[in-house]
Amino acid sequence: MPNYICVTCGNQYAATEAPPLHCLICEDERQYVNPRGQSWITLDELEREHHNVVRSLEPGLAEIGTEPKFAIGQRALLVQAANGNVLWDCVSLINKATIEAIEALGGISALAMSHPHMFGSMVEWSQAFGKAPIHLHSDYKQWVQRPDPVIEFWEGESHDLDEGLTLHRCGGHFKGSTVLLWPEGAEGRGVLLSSDTIHVAPDRRHVSFMYSYPNYIPLAASTVDAIVDKVMPLKFDRIYSHFYHLAIEADAKGAVQRSAERYKQAIGIRS
Ligand SMILES: [Zn+2]
Ligand SMILES: [Zn+2]
């Protein structure tokens, strides 16, 4: 039985004879159902017209994206950390060429996901790399569409990985919205992998915060403040979010603070 993949959000579902009738992630108000109707694809079909590209972003960090664009079009990031490689977020496509490219970088010892829009085919990826554990915040239990023993739920506000990285729950976009801190990144100044908990704007000088990006639903000022309060004590100077080219190279904390003030002014909290 195939594990069908939703063509709009890229989530791979548990094996079924026929494609599922609904995608819970797309039917949620933060996403949207394919205008042509709910549509599905299998991994074999996906591989026929797509491939993954692996590129280095800085020493110890690579991005993995699917081309041509599929589903949301995000990149996954591979952090080569002190005690093993961690895949941050995921894409739907995994194939032999991708596995070989990742093996050449040292493989994967753990996976961690920011939120359900980035789950992709995470269980398939884990199985390709020796059933590496997938770290998910426990708030995401209801959003997992392909349950598997490789998924390890963590509770609370932060979670240290054996590889030398730390996950922090910021909330906002999702209750469990998570960011990953890589202290050795940016030549030791620290890197925050923010996915779209903190979304880097195309000007690469500002960030934004949204309940729904595709449906343009903003967050309350108090929620934005809570996200900022969560990340300010962390040591980082650079942010990478979940699309190609979206990074704040330096003074990322200043960008977060200035952007949060601008955001609150725009939604009418500061005059
Ligand atoms: Zn979907
Ligand atoms: Zn999202």
Side-chain angles (χ1 to χ4, degrees):
M1 289 195 295
N3 294 92
Y4 286 97
I5 296 168
C6 171
V7 302
T8 311
C9 72
N11 261 260
Q12 189 190 44
Y13 275 59
T16 46
E17 290 282 4
L21 293 175
H22 300 279
C23 174
L24 299 183
I25 288 144
C26 286
E27 289 182 1
D28 174 66
E29 66 179 351
R30 280 163 283 207
Q31 251 286 109
Y32 57 93
V33 175
N34 187 332
R36 295 179 299 282
Q38 179 60 48
S39 311
W40 304 90
I41 195 169
T42 64
L43 203 45
D44 287 346
E45 290 165 348
L46 180 61
E47 192 188 352
R48 266 177 235 146
E49 293 184 3
H50 295 78
H51 62 282
N52 283 337
V53 176
V54 181
R55 295 188 202 91
S56 174
L57 292 171
E58 64 169 77
L61 184 69
E63 65 179 6
I64 302 117
T66 301
E67 296 181 6
K69 180 187 172 215
F70 175 71
I72 289 171
Q74 77 269 21
R75 60 182 173 187
L77 295 168
L78 184 77
V79 186
Q80 295 168 284
N83 302 318
N85 292 355
V86 174
L87 187 76
W88 169 245
D89 286 336
C90 201
V91 295
S92 303
L93 178 61
I94 170 110
N95 59 10
K96 192 161 171 286
T98 309
I99 294 168
E100 287 172 0
I102 303 284
E103 290 288 7
L105 297 173
I108 292 173
S109 67
L111 301 86
M113 302 294 132
S114 61
H115 72 297
H117 296 150
M118 303 293 128
F119 285 177
S121 298
M122 61 180 178
V123 170
E124 200 86 32
W125 274 77
S126 159
Q127 290 177 351
F129 292 94
K131 298 191 176 177
I134 303 172
H135 299 281
L136 286 191
H137 196 276
S138 58
D139 281 335
Y140 292 141
K141 276 181 186 158
Q142 60 180 313
W143 295 102
V144 172
Q145 304 305 325
R146 183 179 173 183
D148 193 279
V150 298
I151 299 173
E152 297 183 6
F153 291 102
W154 58 278
E155 314 252 346
E157 298 304 300
S158 68
H159 181 62
D160 292 331
L161 302 183
D162 293 343
E163 289 76 10
L165 308 172
T166 310
L167 304 174
H168 296 271
R169 188 193 75 87
C170 293
H173 182 44
F174 275 78
K175 199 169 153 224
S177 276
T178 303
V179 298
L180 180 147
L181 183 69
W182 174 35
E184 281 79 35
E187 300 86 37
R189 300 191 307 279
V191 159
L192 194 70
L193 305 185
S194 66
S195 193
D196 62 5
T197 304
I198 300 172
H199 176 84
V200 175
D203 69 6
R204 299 177 312 286
R205 294 184 296 116
H206 295 87
V207 300
S208 195
F209 319 84
M210 294 285 267
Y211 180 69
S212 169
Y213 291 90
N215 298 327
Y216 311 109
I217 309 172
L219 289 169
S222 57
T223 309
V224 171
D225 282 339
I227 296 170
V228 174
D229 289 348
K230 195 53 105 39
V231 300
M232 275 308 144
L234 309 179
K235 180 190 159 237
F236 68 94
D237 189 50
R238 185 174 292 167
I239 288 180
Y240 293 92
S241 66
H242 65 331
F243 287 138
Y244 288 149
H245 312 301
L246 295 190
I248 297 196
E249 291 288 332
D251 188 29
K253 279 192 186 181
V256 169
Q257 274 177 317
R258 287 190 296 274
S259 303
E261 288 307 312
R262 184 175 79 161
Y263 189 97
K264 288 188 287 185
Q265 196 165 6
I267 60 174
I269 303 301
R270 299 276 189 277
S271 56

